[in-house]
């Protein structure tokens, strides 16, 4: 999954009583405080209505709630929940749904105040990155977070005898009734890995997974993140998926890694989810022979809904990616499907501002669109600008060598730049051959440059670095003979 910005307490500021105190017993699970706030009067009144956000049309709020429910439902199903479980979670999550709508109003405040309706795509693009952020932080406990919002889940322990006096103006609110949290669910799931509860042995699917090479420690780690993994049936879920992957040509040794990266695959139906998704992508030009590579790189590719796939793919078309190149992009960089369309748009706009052909860059190096603009892209651009390159130079460099922005400034670019200054080449040669930054400084650049200097000849930067050792020796010898003649 791509790194998303941290959730801030200000994100929840629209909820009533956001600044009130919160009395929590010592049995509370230690979750970050940034998500949970006491709502003294709000909780006491039992009011679950969305707080006023400027007097916008009520019908828009109702519509946005339904859209928010749909986005959350799809997101939960993407994480492996069944349709029924996702529906039950939605039915228990009125306050969280209100919070999502509040977030929409925060992101699109000006449009809401004038009564302008948001499109389904705009709502999805605003909420999905936020849900991804929460999932990254809370994992499978997100279900408990959503259902019990804004009260943090606590350990399973009775607090029935907790003395609670009538609420008074400004008083703090005790934690409500005890909640069975994912902590106990995880413990039960972990215990099941070695004892299925009836035979005293591990469940059949766990034995099967160890037999195909998945280590027990890996299975435990997966279960901690995704407790449902301990309860999948062997014949109904695990074995059909494994055989499906093997039939695609995925090496048996890759299976443990794929399942550890995306255990939710086990919960999806082959006939209703995986095969239709593959068929859809193949019809768009994805090479059947490349499925092994794509799934190994990004197993989550098969878990996205048709709606999410179409949203991202349509955006790639809008950004200038030719339809005939889509299959190659999804094979080379399938992770782009997991990126927020908001982030992809922002990255495309940034490269466009430099004069880069975005469609061409998407085709050559889609991985670039997973980089953070502030933390990675802008510092690399500044690095070259500070050294006298213009934006046109940078655009040519990134268009020629798409991986340029993925390289470390401190460990790669700076030391190689310092050495370049000692070489006999002008800066314009870096514009022509930015691949220079992709070669090892100690293993290739320095030794070959030293050999060339000792030979008394000059080779182009491209010839110096891009050829095999034998070809390099041959070019060097030919140039020496030419100079001697």
């Amino acid at each position: 999954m791509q790194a998303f910005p941290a959730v801030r307490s200000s994100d929840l500021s629209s909820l009533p009583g956001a600044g009130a105190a919160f009395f929590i017993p010592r049995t509370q699970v230690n979750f970050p405080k940034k998500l949970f706030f006491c709502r003294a009067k709000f909780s006491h009144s039992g009011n679950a209505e969305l707080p006023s956000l400027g007097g916008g049309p009520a019908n828009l709020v109702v519509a946005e709630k339904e859209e928010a429910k749909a986005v959350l439902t799809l997101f939960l199903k993407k994480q492996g929940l069944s349709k029924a479980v996702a529906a039950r979670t939605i039915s228990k999550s009125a306050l969280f749904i209100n919070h999502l709508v509040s977030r929409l109003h925060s992101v699109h405040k000006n449009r809401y105040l004038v009564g302008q309706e948001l499109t389904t795509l705009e709502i999805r693009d605003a909420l999905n990155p936020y849900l991804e952020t929460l999932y990254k932080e809370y994992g499978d406990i997100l279900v408990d977070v959503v259902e019990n919002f804004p009260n943090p889940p606590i350990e399973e322990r009775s607090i029935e005898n907790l003395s609670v006096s009538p609420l008074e103006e400004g008083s703090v609110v005790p934690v409500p009734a005890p909640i069975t949290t994912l902590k106990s669910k995880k413990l039960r799931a972990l215990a099941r890995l070695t004892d299925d509860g009836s035979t005293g042995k591990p469940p059949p699917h766990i034995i099967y997974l160890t037999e195909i090479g998945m280590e027990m420690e890996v299975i435990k780690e997966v279960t901690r993140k995704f407790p449902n993994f301990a309860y999948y049936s062997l014949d109904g879920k695990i074995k059909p998926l494994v055989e499906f992957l093997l039939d695609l040509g995925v090496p048996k040794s890759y299976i443990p890694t794929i399942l550890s990266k995306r255990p939710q695959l086990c919960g999806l139906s082959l006939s209703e989810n995986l095969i239709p998704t593959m068929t859809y992508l193949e019809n768009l030009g994805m090479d059947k022979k490349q499925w092994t590579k794509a799934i190994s790189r990004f197993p989550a590719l098969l878990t996205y809904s048709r709606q999410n796939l179409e949203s991202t793919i349509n955006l790639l078309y809008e950004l200038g990616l030719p339809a005939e190149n889509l299959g190659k992009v999804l094979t080379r960089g399938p992770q782009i499907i997991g990126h927020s369309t908001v982030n992809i748009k922002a990255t495309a706009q940034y490269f466009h501002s430099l004069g880069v052909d975005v469609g061409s860059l998407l085709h050559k190096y889609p991985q670039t669109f997973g980089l953070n603009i502030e933390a990675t892209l802008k510092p690399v651009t500044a690095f070259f600008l500070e050294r006298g390159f213009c934006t046109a130079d940078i655009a040519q460099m990134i268009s020629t060598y798409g991986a340029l922005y993925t390289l470390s400034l401190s460990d790669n670019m700076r030391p190689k730049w310092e050495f370049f200054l000692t070489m006999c080449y002008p800066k314009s040669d870096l514009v022509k051959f930015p691949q220079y930054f992709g070669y090892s400084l100690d293993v290739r650049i320095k030794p070959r440059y030293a050999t060339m200097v000792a030979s008394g000849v000059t080779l182009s930067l491209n010839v110096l670095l891009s050829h095999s050792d034998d070809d390099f020796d041959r070019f060097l010898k030919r140039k020496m003979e030419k100079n001697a003649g």
Side-chain angles (χ1 to χ4, degrees), residues 88-315:
R88 284 198 298 271
T89 298
I90 296 298
S91 69
K92 300 176 183 178
S93 308
L95 294 179
F96 187 77
I97 296 298
N98 286 348
H99 165 58
L100 291 181
V101 176
S102 297
R103 184 171 179 82
L104 278 178
H105 296 168
S106 175
V107 173
H108 297 286
K109 182 177 180 180
N110 292 335
R111 295 184 59 182
Y112 176 73
L113 291 177
V114 298
Q116 187 175 359
E117 186 175 0
L118 299 176
T119 67
T120 298
L121 182 60
E122 288 172 327
I123 293 173
R124 190 188 313 144
D125 286 348
L127 297 183
N128 272 329
Y130 179 56
L131 293 173
E132 291 280 3
T133 302
L134 295 182
Y135 183 71
K136 182 178 180 182
E137 180 167 354
Y138 296 103
D140 203 49
I141 200 173
L142 179 61
V143 172
D144 286 328
V145 169
V146 167
E147 291 183 0
N148 298 293
F149 182 86
N151 300 317
I154 59 174
E155 291 179 5
E156 186 176 17
R157 184 165 135 187
S158 175
I159 54 172
E160 294 176 357
N161 296 327
L162 182 65
S163 176
V164 181
S165 58
L167 290 173
E168 298 178 354
E169 181 73 12
S171 65
V172 298
V173 180
V175 173
I179 304 166
T180 301
T181 70
L182 191 65
K183 183 172 182 180
S184 59
K185 295 178 184 177
K186 286 183 178 180
L187 292 176
R188 290 195 297 271
L190 288 169
R192 180 177 168 77
L193 298 180
T194 55
D195 184 351
D196 66 0
S198 58
T199 66
K201 298 179 180 179
H205 77 284
I206 300 300
I207 296 175
Y208 174 77
L209 290 172
T210 58
E211 290 175 348
I212 65 172
M214 196 168 186
E215 297 180 358
M216 182 57 73
E217 285 306 311
V218 174
I219 295 175
K220 289 180 180 179
E221 183 60 28
V222 172
T223 303
R224 290 187 187 98
K225 297 178 180 178
F226 190 69
N228 288 349
F229 193 65
Y231 299 94
Y232 287 128
S233 69
L234 174 61
D235 295 325
K237 293 292 184 181
I238 300 294
K239 187 178 287 187
L241 174 64
V242 171
E243 292 176 349
F244 170 73
L245 295 174
L246 292 174
D247 288 341
L248 286 177
V250 176
K252 185 178 178 180
S253 59
Y254 287 16
I255 302 295
T257 300
I258 290 173
L259 295 183
S260 64
K261 285 183 178 179
R262 202 68 172 180
Q264 293 91 334
L265 278 170
C266 302
L268 298 177
S269 165
L270 289 177
S271 60
E272 296 180 9
N273 300 107
L274 301 184
I275 293 177
T277 296
M278 289 183 61
T279 301
Y280 171 69
L281 294 174
E282 287 173 356
N283 289 338
L284 292 173
M286 195 162 181
D287 190 348
K288 295 180 180 180
K289 299 178 182 178
Q290 298 297 323
W291 271 112
T292 296
K293 187 181 297 184
I295 295 174
S296 299
R297 287 176 177 172
F298 190 59
L301 177 65
L302 295 177
T303 67
Y304 288 95
S305 69
R306 176 71 170 267
Q307 187 178 25
N308 282 343
L309 291 172
E310 290 179 344
S311 175
T312 301
I313 289 168
N314 288 337
L315 174 60

Side-chain angles (χ1 to χ4, degrees), residues 17-60:
F22 202 138
F23 172 77
I24 304 175
R26 287 177 294 179
T27 53
Q28 180 194 3
V29 177
N30 293 323
F31 301 128
K33 297 179 181 179
K34 56 191 171 187
L35 185 63
F36 300 107
F37 296 87
C38 171
R39 303 167 301 107
K41 297 179 184 178
F42 196 57
S43 295
H44 182 50
S45 66
N47 185 4
E49 292 302 314
L50 189 70
S52 173
L53 291 171
N59 62 320
L60 289 185

